[in-house]
Amino acid sequence: MADKLIIFDTTLRDGEQSPGASMTKEEKLRIARQLERLRVDVIEAGFAASSNGDFDAVKAIADSIKDSTVCSLARANDRDISRAAEALKGARSARIHTFIATSALHMEKKLRMTPDQVHEQARLAVRFARNLTGDVEFSPEDGYRSDVDFLCRVLEAVIAEGATTINIPDTVGYAIPELYGNFIKTLRERIPNSDKAIWSVHCHNDLGMAVANSLAGVKLGGARQVECTINGLGERAGNCSLEEVVMAVRTRRDYFGLEVGIDTSQIVPASRMVSQTTGFVVQPNKAVVGANAFAHASGIHQDGVLKARDTYEIMRAEDVGWTANKIVLGKLSGRNAFKQRLQELGIEMESEAEVNAAFAKFKDLADRKSEIFDEDIIALVGDESVTTTHEHYRLLDLAQHSEMGERPHAKVAFAAGEVELHAESDGNGPVDASLKAIESKVESGAEMLLYSVNAITSGSTESQGEVTIRLQHGGRVVNGVGADPDIVVASAKAYLAALNKLHSKNDRVAAQG
Ligand code: KIV
Ligand code: ZN
């Protein structure tokens, strides 16, 4: 029986730290359920002590997830650890993940603590956490750039206090595969009680090597847990990508000799859900989940694949959840057919009221779009107005006029809480006019950092347009996503979704702060 490689997903914690990727509790819960369907071993649901919003999200996920361990991050202090334990109380299987920086640079400049103080705080934190739960992970932040003798001393102490997993972060993405793999090997060889813990890798992608470094940590270092995110989401250049690491270990089982418990057919749905929720679009040539990952454009390749698939394909598209765009429902489909399709897609609605709201949206869409694909349904249930009862801004109506040579004009009606607002404006184009009309009433003063449009189902202008808008205001960056066959309407929805996120003011303490 091959060893198991534990897959620890941190999309909802480290991934969410990416500017603009912050998610609502409902969004996090929906993604957590997808991660459970994907059968990840551990879901890092958030950083409970960082804000009340994050506490509520971790708690909601802990209360709902049954098949994966649910974990919360906590700095190495009693308050953070108690908050994590409190949020995780309802979990069937819970883990507290506590951390403190151990590199000379971080200790001196950020923490302003001596190595001895850090050593003591790490030890006491793990002791405190172990009194609250049996499953405790410890991370020496910036571990890879830490002095190896000091790191050995800290890690030996926290293992003696009962840490069950030791995670070695390459916090700034500085590592090189061979060096990182050997670093973990050295730690495991030098620390006398290293066999009492599972070793884990956590790599950032600043030099584009997060996946390679993680795999080297597994192969050379003997790590048996990989920390990763869907689509490699994460701050700066992101984290190690779950889909790449899982498919590498699975496809090259001959080399790694390890088992992963992941249901790979759920990879593409998970990728789409994370992308649609955060507005972080997946690049077409991204391994495994990019739109081109299994497309064979060149004649020679197509010929080869038709003769024998494995001439050019090392994985099968359907094994990672790619399905051909299928027409699944149409205008005449009833509520039961719609509900059944939701179930087949693994989408769980909280209540019948949510199903009704989603069905109403579906009917509205089916009136305007003749063929409804799975992707349309996924976008539709991702719409805030279906899953969130407390969204502040809602689009009610939009009309715009544009003609070559004329300046476009838009009229927009939208709700702000209980109040109905009407606004109109000119603009450089119909999208610009619509957003200016909204802004004339909201007066958010937010700066737009990104506007992007994508077709939800590839290859046709009949597709719904999916718009992502990134706004910055008061030091916060948020993304809003909106989908509609009319891209002007999709844009207005995306703008209002971003304004809703700014409005929710869920400020938090940064994990690396
Ligand atoms: O990158 C990092 O160091 C982290 C730790 C908090 C685990 O995310
Ligand atoms: Zn990290």
Side-chain angles (χ1 to χ4, degrees):
M1 177 77 180
D3 264 9
K4 178 164 182 193
L5 183 64
I6 297 167
I7 300 298
F8 175 115
D9 180 278
T10 183
T11 306
L12 300 175
R13 198 281 296 170
D14 220 353
E16 203 216 10
Q17 271 171 227
S18 180
S22 66
M23 299 170 226
T24 62
K25 180 173 94 181
E26 289 77 12
E27 289 169 338
K28 284 186 139 198
L29 193 54
R30 195 162 358 115
I31 290 177
R33 292 201 177 115
Q34 178 60 27
L35 294 172
E36 186 181 36
R37 277 192 288 278
L38 186 62
R39 298 213 208 108
V40 306
D41 300 286
V42 186
I43 298 173
E44 188 163 49
F47 178 9
S50 69
S51 69
N52 290 338
D54 232 30
F55 179 91
D56 291 345
V58 175
K59 179 167 167 27
I61 292 168
D63 291 348
S64 142
I65 295 298
K66 301 286 169 255
D67 298 336
S68 310
T69 295
V70 180
C71 171
S72 172
L73 187 71
R75 285 167 299 189
N77 64 58
D78 293 2
R79 183 195 164 267
D80 269 30
I81 294 170
S82 303
R83 283 295 274 172
E86 174 74 20
L88 292 169
K89 231 168 21 201
R92 193 175 272 183
S93 166
R95 173 180 296 187
I96 295 176
H97 176 191
T98 187
F99 75 100
I100 188 164
T102 52
S103 66
L105 187 64
H106 279 229
M107 288 189 292
E108 191 191 323
K109 303 280 185 225
K110 189 181 81 172
L111 299 177
R112 298 185 201 287
M113 288 170 75
T114 65
D116 282 347
Q117 286 170 328
V118 167
H119 178 276
E120 187 61 0
Q121 191 159 325
R123 206 174 63 73
L124 294 178
V126 169
R127 179 183 291 181
F128 187 73
R130 265 311 296 259
N131 283 330
L132 299 172
T133 169
D135 187 349
V136 173
E137 173 169 331
F138 175 76
S139 288
E141 190 193 354
D142 205 18
Y144 180 65
R145 292 195 303 170
S146 302
D147 174 72
V148 70
D149 294 332
F150 175 61
L151 200 52
C152 285
R153 213 157 66 76
V154 172
L155 298 181
E156 184 180 348
V158 296
I159 295 172
E161 293 293 349
T164 42
T165 301
I166 296 294
N167 178 48
I168 306 299
D170 176 24
T171 304
V172 291
Y174 181 68
I176 303 290
E178 193 185 352
L179 302 182
Y180 181 72
N182 286 332
F183 187 67
I184 291 180
K185 182 165 182 270
T186 304
L187 293 173
R188 288 184 57 230
E189 280 169 1
R190 285 188 44 186
I191 296 173
N193 54 1
S194 67
D195 60 326
K196 302 281 184 302
I198 292 172
W199 288 72
S200 167
V201 288
H202 179 111
C203 297
H204 282 264
N205 202 33
D206 298 66
L207 293 173
M209 289 189 278
V211 172
N213 288 334
S214 302
L215 291 172
V218 169
K219 183 71 183 173
L220 304 177
R224 287 296 174 266
Q225 173 176 286
V226 174
E227 302 202 349
C228 45
T229 61
I230 302 290
N231 300 336
L233 187 71
E235 268 179 293
R236 310 183 307 274
N239 284 59
C240 170
S241 130
L242 179 145
E243 56 280 3
E244 292 178 25
V245 107
V246 164
M247 290 317 290
V249 171
R250 172 124 339 156
T251 308
R252 297 306 310 269
R253 198 173 181 282
D254 57 321
Y255 178 72
F256 290 103
L258 293 169
E259 292 292 349
V260 278
I262 296 294
D263 176 356
T264 58
S265 70
Q266 293 298 324
I267 285 180
V268 168
S271 163
R272 287 215 177 109
M273 190 183 282
V274 169
S275 162
Q276 285 181 341
T277 306
T278 59
F280 279 65
V281 176
V282 175
Q283 78 201 50
N285 58 330
K286 164 93 171 63
V288 185
V289 292
N292 288 354
F294 291 89
H296 295 278
S298 97
I300 297 174
H301 287 200
Q302 281 173 358
D303 181 52
V305 169
L306 287 176
K307 286 181 179 140
R309 254 180 117 142
D310 52 5
T311 49
Y312 288 99
E313 271 188 12
I314 56 165
M315 299 170 269
R316 293 189 315 170
E318 53 272 34
D319 289 351
V320 296
W322 282 105
T323 49
N325 287 343
K326 260 193 318 199
I327 303 167
V328 285
L329 295 170
K331 169 183 175 135
L332 299 177
S333 307
R335 190 177 178 282
N336 282 344
F338 176 71
K339 208 172 156 185
Q340 190 184 335
R341 195 62 206 148
L342 289 180
Q343 271 159 13
E344 284 160 5
L345 286 170
I347 298 167
E348 286 168 42
M349 297 255 128
E350 287 286 289
S351 60
E352 283 304 302
E354 257 188 39
V355 177
N356 290 343
F359 184 62
K361 293 254 168 204
F362 160 73
K363 278 300 205 191
D364 176 51
L365 181 63
D367 276 342
R368 291 175 299 133
K369 186 172 186 289
S370 52
E371 299 167 336
I372 306 284
F373 299 99
D374 284 344
E375 290 81 352
D376 293 312
I377 296 178
I378 293 167
L380 188 141
V381 298
D383 188 320
E384 278 197 341
S385 58
V386 171
T387 50
T388 313
T389 44
H390 46 76
E391 58 165 357
H392 185 69
Y393 297 113
R394 267 171 306 118
L395 184 66
L396 301 175
D397 203 6
L398 189 153
Q400 50 83 16
H401 179 82
S402 67
E403 212 175 308
M404 260 176 95
E406 298 286 320
R407 194 160 162 77
H409 188 81
K411 289 184 185 176
V412 185
F414 63 104
E418 301 301 308
V419 186
E420 190 172 320
L421 299 170
H422 293 261
E424 41 189 298
S425 175
D426 286 349
N428 290 351
V431 170
D432 188 45
S434 306
L435 304 198
K436 282 200 166 109
I438 295 172
E439 184 59 24
S440 71
K441 292 287 175 196
V442 175
E443 295 180 347
S444 74
E447 183 190 353
M448 193 176 297
L449 301 182
L450 173 88
Y451 172 81
S452 85
V453 192
N454 278 288
I456 284 189
T457 39
S458 50
S460 157
T461 50
E462 287 175 359
S463 167
Q464 286 199 84
E466 184 174 63
V467 173
T468 302
I469 288 180
R470 185 171 302 155
L471 298 181
Q472 173 169 282
H473 186 254
R476 295 177 68 208
V477 179
V478 294
N479 278 339
V481 182
D484 200 272
D486 178 335
I487 60 162
V488 183
V489 173
S491 304
K493 285 182 179 173
Y495 193 60
L496 292 172
L499 290 175
N500 276 328
K501 288 194 174 162
L502 280 181
H503 186 79
S504 76
K505 291 220 175 52
N506 182 14
D507 290 324
R508 64 186 63 197
V509 176
Q512 271 92 3

